[in-house]
Amino acid sequence: MTYHRRVLLLTSKTGGGHVSLAEALRDRLEPSFHCAIIDPQPSIVHTHYRLVSRYALRLWQMEYRLADRPHRALAAHRLFARLMGRPMRHLLAREKPDLIVSTYSFFTAAMLNAIRAIGRPTATALLLSDPQNVHATWLAIKDVDCILAPTRETATQALNAGFTPHQVHLSGWPVRSQFHMPDNDMPDNNTLDRRAGLQELGLNPDRFTVFLQGGGEGTAHFRRTVEAVLAAGNSGATPNGRPVPQPRGVQIILAVGTNEILRARYAQRPNIYTLPFTKEIARYMALADVVMGKAGPNMLFETVTLGKPFIATTYIPGQETPNLDFIRRHQLGWVALEPREQTTLIRALIQDSALLQAQMHSVDLYRRWNLSRLDTVLPQAQALVGKLAVGIR
């Protein structure tokens, strides 16, 4: 039987982003490595995140900023290492990894302490989980073997923080395998499949299609976005006050997740397909002209990988604020945070196909660059383990 080196992918269930990154890395590394994705944190950490992210975003922003200084980041690592010391040692003793990659910044000190305590040589890497302005806790500890920097911006930040060029590897942003389609299978190059897919959902292939994500939190805010998109299907009002439909019209693939309130509200509305929670979401996103939602980096790069422009409608203050500038700078889509902006933007895209095509061109340029960097992830992992095998650190 062929022996596979073992990779432990440390992640956090505090938000779906860290887990999605770990899954995307697993898709890149298997079958060359045996991969295990594990969140070793106690349940109290998950409970805290769930409550604060839902009901106290200002507190979450304050916590994020409080630790975003080098000396405070080190203090946070020391505290977290005490909390996670025993569970991390037990985890590493059980899994016996050859390489550990963390997609969560607070594990670094606990991970390194556990490796030293066990005494088993293990290569280490951090996958930075922001496209720019990464949190100070990612950069506070320099003793890891590799920094996987997903963007040029994060690579520069890591180098400026004191990591060596030997440590920093420009990896591209990993995206789960379901989003990777060969160029000849891209939705815009396969019109018949796209038309059939929309018809299967009971939608009109000739309408402008928006994939709208937001079934998790913020129901009231999300409803305003839905109504804003639907309003874009009208070009204005006649003197009697009745809306005039656009020649092409608009429709929504509405990802409601587990939000039963949203599902019930829109299940019978015309020109809306309500999509419940599904792990295989790429094929639904691929049917749309644009993707709209919260400015989380995973959803942004999943959209880019499908060759679609992204419209940011909301964001987590502090943590996701820089993502808005990233979208604008690389022309990966648009930022429209208010309902009126959203209606105006969608209406403009319906009326002017050149506006959409220009943005799709810049998205495709970034998509191709990102894919080229992702091809280097497996060789980099193999090199890290290979150096470890011959005693080179």
Side-chain angles (χ1 to χ4, degrees):
M1 186 174 78
T2 302
Y3 171 72
H4 290 292
R5 294 286 190 173
R6 298 177 67 84
V7 177
L8 174 59
L9 298 169
L10 293 176
T11 192
S12 173
K13 296 175 184 175
T14 51
H18 303 290
V19 175
S20 293
L21 274 178
E23 292 173 343
L25 268 182
R26 177 194 60 198
D27 291 348
R28 282 274 154 186
L29 298 177
E30 289 184 338
S32 297
F33 291 91
H34 171 78
C35 297
I37 300 175
I38 297 176
D39 178 356
Q41 296 175 109
S43 59
I44 189 173
V45 175
H46 306 138
T47 301
H48 171 76
Y49 175 81
R50 185 171 63 252
L51 293 175
V52 173
S53 64
R54 287 186 182 182
Y55 307 114
L57 273 179
R58 288 186 181 276
L59 176 60
W60 174 258
Q61 182 180 11
M62 183 183 70
E63 291 179 354
Y64 183 87
R65 289 181 174 175
L66 186 64
D68 197 19
R69 295 288 186 275
H71 66 286
R72 292 176 180 172
L74 281 172
H77 274 295
R78 287 193 290 268
L79 177 64
F80 211 79
R82 294 186 66 179
L83 174 68
M84 294 298 304
R86 182 177 296 177
M88 191 68 75
R89 289 193 298 273
H90 289 171
L91 173 62
L92 268 59
R94 184 183 76 233
E95 293 295 323
K96 297 179 174 60
D98 300 288
L99 169 64
I100 302 174
V101 184
S102 177
T103 68
Y104 189 59
S105 66
F106 286 95
F107 289 143
T108 309
M111 171 183 73
L112 294 173
N113 289 348
I115 291 172
R116 286 189 286 266
I118 292 173
R120 185 178 188 275
T122 307
T124 56
L126 306 180
L127 173 59
L128 306 181
S129 63
D130 293 292
Q132 67 175 35
N133 294 8
V134 297
H135 195 267
T137 49
W138 282 111
L139 308 173
I141 298 176
K142 308 295 193 298
D143 297 335
V144 296
D145 296 307
C146 180
I147 292 289
L148 296 174
T151 63
R152 302 177 186 92
E153 289 86 346
T154 53
T156 299
Q157 190 176 354
L159 292 170
N160 290 340
F163 288 91
T164 68
H166 176 73
Q167 288 174 291
V168 178
H169 180 76
L170 188 55
S171 64
W173 193 280
V175 174
R176 291 169 291 173
S177 59
Q178 63 177 288
F179 291 91
H180 290 283
M181 300 180 182
D183 283 349
N184 60 356
D185 287 337
M186 291 294 289
D188 293 310
N189 296 332
N190 202 332
T191 305
L192 290 178
D193 283 356
R194 184 172 181 272
R195 292 185 66 87
L198 289 170
Q199 289 171 340
E200 183 181 338
L201 301 183
L203 297 176
N204 184 345
D206 296 320
R207 282 180 171 267
F208 187 87
T209 304
V210 175
F211 181 96
L212 183 53
Q213 172 99 10
E217 317 299 341
T219 300
H221 179 87
F222 186 63
R223 286 203 304 263
R224 292 195 295 270
T225 300
V226 173
E227 299 302 333
V229 173
L230 292 175
N234 301 317
S235 58
T238 61
N240 63 12
R242 294 182 179 178
V244 179
Q246 291 270 16
R248 187 179 176 192
V250 65
Q251 61 193 3
I252 302 174
I253 299 173
L254 187 61
V256 299
T258 58
N259 193 320
E260 286 300 312
I261 296 175
L262 283 175
R263 188 200 62 77
R265 182 182 182 90
Y266 292 108
Q268 303 304 319
R269 289 282 294 271
N271 302 318
I272 295 181
Y273 175 80
T274 54
L275 176 67
F277 173 79
T278 174
K279 291 286 287 184
E280 299 299 319
I281 201 169
R283 71 185 191 96
Y284 297 97
M285 292 171 62
L287 298 175
D289 294 289
V290 296
V291 174
M292 296 180 71
K294 187 171 71 70
N298 281 303
M299 188 178 183
L300 169 63
F301 281 95
E302 288 167 354
T303 303
V304 168
T305 304
L306 291 172
K308 309 290 182 180
F310 182 80
I311 301 174
T313 60
T314 187
Y315 63 99
I316 297 177
Q319 182 177 344
E320 292 176 348
T321 303
N323 298 350
L324 306 181
D325 180 60
F326 187 88
I327 291 168
R328 295 185 182 106
R329 184 185 327 116
H330 293 287
Q331 298 181 56
L332 303 179
W334 300 269
V335 176
L337 304 179
E338 298 299 328
R340 182 175 297 181
E341 294 177 301
Q342 295 157 9
T343 300
T344 301
L345 174 60
I346 297 298
R347 188 170 289 163
L349 294 174
I350 295 172
Q351 294 174 342
D352 184 1
S353 60
L355 181 62
L356 181 65
Q357 290 299 320
Q359 204 75 332
M360 288 178 66
H361 175 71
S362 60
V363 167
D364 188 59
L365 290 176
Y366 199 97
R367 180 183 74 89
R368 292 176 183 276
W369 175 84
N370 194 62
L371 291 175
S372 72
R373 296 312 308 169
L374 287 176
D375 286 340
T376 69
V377 170
L378 177 58
Q380 178 67 11
Q382 291 169 329
L384 287 170
V385 173
K387 290 178 181 178
L388 189 70
V390 296
I392 300 174
R393 295 299 296 270

